[in-house]
């Protein structure tokens, strides 16, 4: 009988797993994968540790993994990523397929910044003020409940790969976008469209109020005050410092970084864009990259012909992504082998139905 889980609570997996040697972990993970054969697919986000991503059947960013999940017919999908990604996989797969997150503590601090109750309050306030002129758009880094909220109100999901396309669609429907939960991705995408900062307002869920940091106006874009605790730590002074230390270096950042940092960078784009840009660069190119630490290190290892470092070398990896380690992966796989799946991610059917509407609107734009 599968243990279905809605709340994030990871029981300790015990010494029997955490005390294993590196060789034993690799050997038993490989053996469990072989036992499960075609019943199992392991999906790995690019921000995962090297020793976990080594076991992924597919690697990708959120958009790529969502598309892959939608095509899979495996009985078990083990998602090496964070909670909202596993929820998305559950929404996109058939009812009889089982999605497992190896450690339930692998959440996303950004997704947690938009609670459904707070978003409902915000929506009531905004619609009272602006009437029926708003379409909600949520970054894929959000809970299934937020995706469903958006889907029920004519809105849709976006990822960092397709945010511009989604914004273009949304503004064709309504005058204003409410974008959540990442103010930086929203601001950077609005700016890429030529919106001035004075056309953007910020909704603070703590204050339950709109702020106009660049002059009160008639906002086209309302940004939920949320952020990624990793990407927000790449600041403008890091760009100045790295250029002073390494003349000729190119600065490549993710759009979850602050607007001021993105404005100084040579290029900005999604995780897949960053990987592609580095792959296509000529040998000898120097890069300072503003994204998650594990990915930057992996790019440096895979491209010794280029010089690659983190834009902020004192930054930590994403701590929640790093919750997924080999002991938890092995524990999850051996539970599947035993026929007792643990950490099964199941989204409530009504929530899943509306979240799917919001996701499908995005996928239809591709
Ligand atoms: S890197 Fe940021 S957005 Fe991505 S999972 Fe970690 S906290 Fe969430």
């Amino acid at each position: 009988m599968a243990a279905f889980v809605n709340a994030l609570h990871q029981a300790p997996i015990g010494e029997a797993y955490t005390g294993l040697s590196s060789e034993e972990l690799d050997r038993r993970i490989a053996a469990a994968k072989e036992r499960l054969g075609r019943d199992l697919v392991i999906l790995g986000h690019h921000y995962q540790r090297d020793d976990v991503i080594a076991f992924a059947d597919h690697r990708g960013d959120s958009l790529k993994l969502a598309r892959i999940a939608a095509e899979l017919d495996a009985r078990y999908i083990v998602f090496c990523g964070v909670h909202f990604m596993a929820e998305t996989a559950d929404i996109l797969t058939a009812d009889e397929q089982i999605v497992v997150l190896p450690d339930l503590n692998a959440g996303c601090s950004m997704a947690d910044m938009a609670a459904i109750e707070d978003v409902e309050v915000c929506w009531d306030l905004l619609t009272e003020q602006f009437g029926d002129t708003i379409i909600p758009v949520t970054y894929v880094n959000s809970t299934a409940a937020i995706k469903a909220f958006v889907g029920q109100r004519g809105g849709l999901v976006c990822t960092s790969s397709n945010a511009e396309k989604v914004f273009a669609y949304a503004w064709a429907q309504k005058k204003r976008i409410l974008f959540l939960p990442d103010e930086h991705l929203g601001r950077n995408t609005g700016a890429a469209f030529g919106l001035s900062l004075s056309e953007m307002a910020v909704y603070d869920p703590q204050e339950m109020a709109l702020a106009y940091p660049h002059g009160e106006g008639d906002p086209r874009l309302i940004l939920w005050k949320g952020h990624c605790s990793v990407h927000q730590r790449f600041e403008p002074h890091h760009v100045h410092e790295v250029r002073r230390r390494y003349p000729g270096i190119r600065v490549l950042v993710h759009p979850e970084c602050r607007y001021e940092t993105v404005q100084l960078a040579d290029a900005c784009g999604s995780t897949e864009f960053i990987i592609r840009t580095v792959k296509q660069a000529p040998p000898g190119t120097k890069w300072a990259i503003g994204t998650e630490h594990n990915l930057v290190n992996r790019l440096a290892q895979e491209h010794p012909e280029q010089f690659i470092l983190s834009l902020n070398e004192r930054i930590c990896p994403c701590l929640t992504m790093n919750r997924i380690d080999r002991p938890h992966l092995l524990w999850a796989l051996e539970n599947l082998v035993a026929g007792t799946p643990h950490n099964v991610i199941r989204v409530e059917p009504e929530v899943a139905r509306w979240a799917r509407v919001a996701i499908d609107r995005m996928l239809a734009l591709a």
Side-chain angles (χ1 to χ4, degrees):
M1 173 77 178
F4 298 126
V5 180
N6 290 317
L8 296 183
H9 174 69
Q10 177 66 51
I13 59 173
E15 267 281 300
Y17 287 94
T18 57
L20 292 173
S21 69
S22 180
E23 294 72 26
E24 188 69 358
L25 285 166
D26 281 349
R27 189 189 66 72
R28 279 173 57 179
I29 292 171
K33 272 193 81 172
E34 201 174 321
R35 282 282 298 279
L36 291 161
R38 293 168 63 87
D39 278 349
L40 170 74
V41 170
I42 299 179
L43 300 179
H45 190 273
H46 287 305
Y47 296 171
Q48 289 289 302
R49 310 153 173 262
D50 287 346
D51 57 9
V52 168
I53 205 86
F55 291 102
D57 298 299
H58 302 277
R59 315 179 179 182
D61 65 4
S62 304
L63 179 61
K64 186 170 169 188
L65 293 177
R67 286 186 189 287
I68 290 170
E71 301 289 317
L72 293 175
D73 56 9
R75 185 170 167 206
Y76 302 124
I77 295 156
V78 172
F79 211 117
C80 296
V82 292
H83 190 263
F84 74 80
M85 298 176 185
E87 278 189 333
T88 305
D90 179 54
I91 291 164
L92 292 172
T93 49
D95 287 350
E96 61 275 15
Q97 290 175 287
I98 288 179
V99 177
V100 168
L101 183 66
D103 185 338
L104 293 177
N105 289 327
C108 164
S109 56
M110 177 199 285
D112 292 343
M113 287 178 195
I116 184 64
E117 301 77 19
D118 294 338
V119 173
E120 283 165 355
V121 170
C122 166
W123 185 255
D124 288 347
L125 289 169
L126 294 181
T127 49
E128 194 175 307
Q129 183 171 351
F130 297 111
D132 182 24
T133 64
I134 312 168
I135 180 169
V137 175
T138 187
Y139 191 20
V140 70
N141 297 24
S142 55
T143 62
I146 299 294
K147 292 182 180 82
F149 175 93
V150 163
Q152 277 179 305
R153 288 158 184 81
L156 67 169
V157 173
C158 78
T159 72
S160 54
S161 301
N162 63 17
E164 291 190 29
K165 198 181 282 184
V166 169
F167 274 35
Y169 166 88
W171 272 319
Q173 316 304 312
K174 294 279 169 76
K175 181 176 179 182
R176 298 170 226 281
I177 294 174
L178 166 64
F179 182 69
L180 54 158
D182 181 16
E183 67 167 304
H184 301 307
L185 175 63
R187 186 174 291 111
N188 289 322
T189 308
F193 269 92
L195 232 60
S196 68
L197 294 178
S198 62
E199 291 175 284
M200 304 181 203
V202 179
Y203 179 83
D204 184 340
Q206 307 292 326
E207 303 286 331
M208 293 193 287
L210 271 187
Y212 297 88
H214 300 277
E216 192 146 351
D218 186 22
R220 300 283 318 283
L221 181 56
I222 299 165
L223 305 166
W224 184 267
K225 193 172 170 56
H227 62 266
C228 165
S229 45
V230 174
H231 288 93
Q232 186 166 270
R233 294 188 56 208
F234 298 104
E235 297 181 23
H237 72 90
H238 295 122
V239 179
H240 297 307
E241 269 164 39
V242 82
R243 285 193 173 134
R244 185 177 48 74
R245 281 170 57 205
Y246 304 99
I249 200 161
R250 294 180 62 74
V251 175
L252 179 56
V253 298
H254 192 279
E256 289 172 21
C257 296
R258 298 164 186 272
Y259 169 79
E260 295 78 9
T261 306
V262 169
Q263 289 301 300
L264 290 172
D266 295 289
C268 171
S270 67
T271 306
E272 291 292 342
F273 170 86
I274 289 172
I275 294 169
R276 201 168 53 243
T277 303
V278 171
K279 260 189 194 156
Q280 291 169 351
T285 308
K286 290 188 273 185
W287 296 108
I289 303 182
T291 194
E292 208 276 340
H293 195 73
N294 282 325
L295 176 60
V296 177
N297 282 349
R298 192 171 308 122
L299 284 170
Q301 283 161 23
E302 290 175 353
H303 295 279
E305 80 287 1
Q306 300 184 37
F307 175 78
I308 296 171
L309 83 172
S310 172
L311 179 57
N312 175 359
E313 290 181 282
R314 282 189 287 275
I315 213 163
C316 298
C318 172
L319 296 177
T320 48
M321 278 274 181
N322 271 259
R323 290 280 188 170
I324 310 288
D325 56 12
R326 284 179 297 165
H328 285 85
L329 176 58
L330 176 61
W331 173 81
L333 293 179
E334 291 191 341
N335 279 321
L336 295 180
V337 171
T340 53
H342 281 54
N343 291 11
V344 174
I345 303 299
R346 272 276 189 259
V347 178
E348 200 211 310
E350 188 61 7
V351 172
R353 183 166 81 83
W354 283 108
R356 173 103 206 205
V357 168
I359 295 168
D360 283 347
R361 284 192 188 116
M362 168 186 79
L363 295 175
L365 294 179

